[in-house]
Amino acid sequence: MDMSVTITGFVALYIFLLAAFAGYEIIGRVPAILHTPLMSGSNFIHGIVVVGAMWALLNAGSTLEQVIGFVGVLLGAGNAAGGYVVTERMLEMFKPTNKAPGADKE
Amino acid sequence: MFSAFLIDAAYFVAAFLFLYGLKRMASPVTARSGIVVAGGGMLVAVVAAFLYGFDVSPRAEAHLGTNLFLLILALGLGTGWAWFSGKRVAMTDMPQMVALYNGMGGGAAAAIAATELLSGNALAHGVVVTVLAILGGLIGAVALSGSLIAWAKLDGRMNKTWRLAKHQYVNACLLGGALFIGAIISVMAIAGAADTPVLLIMLFFAVALALGVLLTTPIGGADMPVVISLYNAFTGLAVAFEGFVLQNPAMIIAGTVVGSAGTLLTLMMAKAMNRQVSNIIFSDFGGEDDGADGEIQGTMKSADASDAAIAMYYANKVIIVPGYGLAVAQAQHKLYEFVKLLQKQGVEVSFAIHPVAGRMPGHMNVLLAEAGVPYDIIFDLEDINEDFAQADVAIVLGANDVVNPAARTRKSSPIYGMPILNVDQARQAYVVKRGQGKGYSGVENELFFLDNTSMVYGDAQKVMVQMIEAVKSLG
């Protein structure tokens, strides 16, 4: 992959280190009620794998690579789109309390 | 080269939006906007990734048109199918859908590993990149086949746990075999072999997929949430490794964040269930209670739904303990209707949620939110457990193991040590249950035999309807 910055050796280790701590800190302070949506949300975020699969497919030089690349993009897109929809549906339902007990619309 | 700069810039924006979105998702107030922010990041990254088309490797140039067509087709099909299925799935079925989408992500990471190894790109970049591609491929393939088994189990398509003779030995052989084949591929990279070992690479992925299947088949449904969470972390790690192979910082950062967050989430879930992750993966769920602490004393009493409803109507403080049985019966809407009637009468009603109520931590909160229950009358175990002693009535709906006092006292019980809700301390406890069966863990529940406990047998939905009628007739 042709990129202006090359990530090698220790630079990669530093990224691993910092990103791992970031993930740990973000989840560590989450109330239990959000565990399932967050699992689903983090599931969505690793859907970024689709861009890697896109690169692989665009650079496929043989039929076998094309087939595997196609499957990769298909699966990655499913991961990203499905993860997004499911997470959004769960989070949509988190709304604050109704005004006062008993004072409901019914 | 300008396209490469644009891609880099887009990935930087995407990485920021992922982290910021995840951070927003970590609070109930901002959670909804968090996923939208992260979604924006994904959109930016995917649009930018089309720019790869301007700068493909020489051997792929001739195929660019075909590849671009395949790319759009795959994106459209994958997105369309997942969008449609995600919109349609019932809230109770969310865990298995998360498993399915997670498996797809693992499969995509494995597919990247496969193309990088087959095209010789990974081998050309040296041994570290090759090793990372192989490890990412192994983890991704295990996450793919393992998640598919988890999905089939939670979806009720595969009900039996299935194990071979010497199952763990077979798993160890598969893992060792996959690593051995991976090592051969790496050694060939160092030696600078002229030909790509296509058959070896295929064999490697076949063994990895088989390992994922065999790791998951012996695990029972009760432990499946922990397993899904673990595979979620696996996929994150696989994505990070493949991100390094592709020199893609967005994949490295997003994958690593999910890998560590997922690991932490897995440990939290396992702790809430009083299980160790290693026990879940490497052994079966609890044996039978050997009765070493004596037989359970007392008899079960049953009560009518209307009696229970009236007792709650005249109570000051009622605590509701919802379980998965409530959600399966789709009774949460009726339950909230009943709760509103109680609140109108001035009864203080709160919900007590065990960490593993439902099928995943927080799953029950989602199911209650779906019914419109405001989250400020829903309490976690540690916030409400003291209150049971002051409650006039505690009612358990479709939950079992999480209210079993045996977890406190019976050392021989498989659930011994698990934190439980102190329903037995309430002045009166009602347990709504379909029948006299045991809980998920297969343990007899001492709570049901206590003097201040009455059983209300029936489908949760029907019972709630009867309760609403009973209270309305009081008028």
Side-chain angles (χ1 to χ4, degrees):
Chain A
M1 187 191 266
D2 203 273
M3 304 243 307
S4 41
V5 182
T6 318
I7 307 160
T8 49
F10 276 101
V11 181
L13 277 177
Y14 281 121
I15 297 179
F16 268 126
L17 178 79
L18 294 172
F21 269 97
Y24 192 88
E25 284 300 311
I26 289 170
I27 296 286
R29 277 169 284 151
V30 159
I33 65 161
L34 282 170
H35 280 173
T36 293
L38 256 176
M39 177 158 133
S40 175
S42 59
N43 177 40
F44 159 71
I45 283 174
H46 66 52
I48 188 67
V49 71
V50 69
V51 301
M54 286 170 75
W55 185 85
L57 177 54
L58 283 172
N59 286 280
S62 70
T63 313
L64 183 58
E65 288 166 45
Q66 283 175 324
V67 170
I68 299 173
F70 180 83
V71 173
V73 175
L74 189 78
L75 294 177
N79 182 189
Y84 182 84
V85 172
V86 166
T87 311
E88 199 206 16
R89 274 186 60 194
M90 283 192 224
L91 292 176
E92 216 164 48
M93 295 177 311
F94 284 92
K95 51 186 174 196
T97 178
N98 46 6
K99 303 111 254 166
D104 209 76
K105 338 170 227 315
E106 288 189 340
Chain B
M1 280 307 99
F2 187 61
S3 65
F5 171 76
L6 279 182
I7 294 171
D8 277 348
Y11 284 168
F12 184 75
V13 172
F16 168 75
L17 291 177
F18 284 157
L19 290 171
Y20 182 59
L22 203 56
K23 176 83 194 138
R24 286 188 78 84
M25 269 187 254
S27 155
V29 187
T30 54
R32 171 76 173 73
S33 65
I35 182 68
V36 178
V37 168
M42 190 67 74
L43 203 61
V44 169
V46 169
V47 170
F50 273 96
L51 296 173
Y52 285 140
F54 287 109
D55 190 19
V56 296
S57 66
R59 57 192 283 274
E61 263 166 23
H63 306 288
L64 188 58
T66 322
N67 287 349
L68 203 57
F69 168 74
L70 287 173
L71 173 62
I72 292 165
L73 187 68
L75 267 185
L77 284 178
T79 308
W81 172 80
W83 197 272
F84 181 70
S85 61
K87 284 276 183 210
R88 233 178 28 150
V89 63
M91 277 296 157
T92 40
D93 295 340
M94 282 301 177
Q96 53 262 48
M97 281 322 271
V98 173
L100 191 55
Y101 297 140
N102 176 56
M104 294 174 80
I112 293 172
T115 54
E116 289 312 282
L117 291 170
L118 289 171
S119 68
N121 280 342
L123 298 146
H125 281 93
V127 69
V128 176
V129 169
T130 308
V131 168
L132 281 173
I134 285 169
L135 285 178
L138 172 63
I139 300 168
V142 167
L144 167 65
S145 57
S147 295
L148 285 179
I149 298 292
W151 165 77
K153 286 200 168 198
L154 283 174
D155 214 39
R157 284 160 206 267
M158 183 192 244
N159 291 319
K160 280 190 218 126
T161 57
W162 182 79
R163 54 173 64 240
L164 300 166
K166 298 200 164 105
H167 198 97
Q168 299 311 336
Y169 181 72
V170 174
N171 282 350
C173 287
L174 284 175
L175 178 62
L179 289 174
F180 181 68
I181 302 168
I184 294 177
I185 299 171
S186 306
V187 169
M188 291 177 79
I190 303 172
D195 294 323
T196 317
V198 177
L199 275 179
L200 266 186
I201 294 170
M202 296 291 199
L203 185 64
F204 169 74
F205 281 105
V207 173
L209 288 171
L211 176 62
V213 171
L214 289 182
L215 270 178
T216 324
T217 50
I219 301 170
D223 286 327
M224 214 38 84
V226 180
V227 175
I228 295 174
S229 179
L230 186 68
Y231 286 147
N232 186 41
F234 272 20
T235 305
L237 202 59
V239 170
F241 283 0
E242 298 311 325
F244 184 79
V245 173
L246 297 180
Q247 294 282 295
N248 183 324
M251 279 170 69
I252 299 179
I253 290 171
T256 311
V257 166
V258 174
S260 75
T263 305
L264 180 58
L265 209 53
T266 310
L267 294 174
M268 283 157 83
M269 284 190 198
K271 197 173 156 223
M273 297 169 75
N274 192 36
R275 304 273 284 139
Q276 278 185 323
V277 176
S278 57
N279 282 353
I280 292 172
I281 303 294
F282 298 119
S283 67
D284 46 346
F285 191 38
E288 289 286 304
D289 184 342
D290 56 10
D293 294 307
E295 289 297 308
I296 296 169
Q297 303 294 316
T299 48
M300 287 202 224
K301 294 178 296 299
S302 71
D304 285 338
S306 54
D307 293 344
I310 290 162
M312 283 186 271
Y313 193 70
Y314 290 113
N316 289 318
K317 187 172 168 61
V318 170
I319 299 178
I320 298 171
V321 179
Y324 191 66
L326 174 82
V328 168
Q330 289 292 323
Q332 58 269 45
H333 291 90
K334 288 283 171 214
L335 172 63
Y336 188 46
E337 200 182 326
F338 179 68
V339 166
K340 283 190 284 195
L341 289 171
L342 293 181
Q343 285 177 331
K344 210 172 272 179
Q345 180 68 10
V347 183
E348 187 194 339
V349 185
S350 17
F351 286 81
I353 309 284
H354 191 271
V356 293
R359 280 293 176 268
M360 294 196 288
H363 188 204
M364 186 50 64
N365 302 76
V366 172
L367 296 169
L368 290 176
E370 188 191 18
V373 180
Y375 61 71
D376 53 2
I377 63 167
I378 301 175
F379 299 93
D380 289 339
L381 179 135
E382 56 266 34
D383 295 327
I384 199 161
N385 235 357
E386 310 262 295
D387 295 1
F388 277 100
Q390 285 100 51
D392 299 303
V393 178
I395 179 162
V396 180
L397 294 144
N400 192 341
D401 293 331
V402 299
V403 295
N404 190 347
R408 283 198 297 257
T409 52
R410 290 173 81 87
K411 284 210 169 76
S412 59
S413 171
I415 60 169
Y416 177 75
M418 181 170 87
I420 58 152
L421 290 161
N422 301 329
V423 172
D424 54 330
Q425 293 174 1
R427 200 160 302 146
Q428 172 69 42
Y430 289 101
V431 178
V432 178
K433 230 173 149 298
R434 274 233 301 261
Q436 299 193 334
K438 295 170 180 177
Y440 230 24
S441 65
V443 185
E444 203 70 74
N445 195 333
E446 286 179 15
L447 173 74
F448 303 166
F449 297 90
L450 294 176
D451 284 340
N452 58 345
T453 303
S454 295
M455 310 296 290
V456 180
Y457 292 114
D459 174 79
Q461 171 117 358
K462 291 198 185 104
V463 169
M464 288 324 300
V465 171
Q466 287 166 4
M467 285 188 175
I468 291 168
E469 278 167 7
V471 166
K472 276 191 174 155
S473 69
L474 290 175

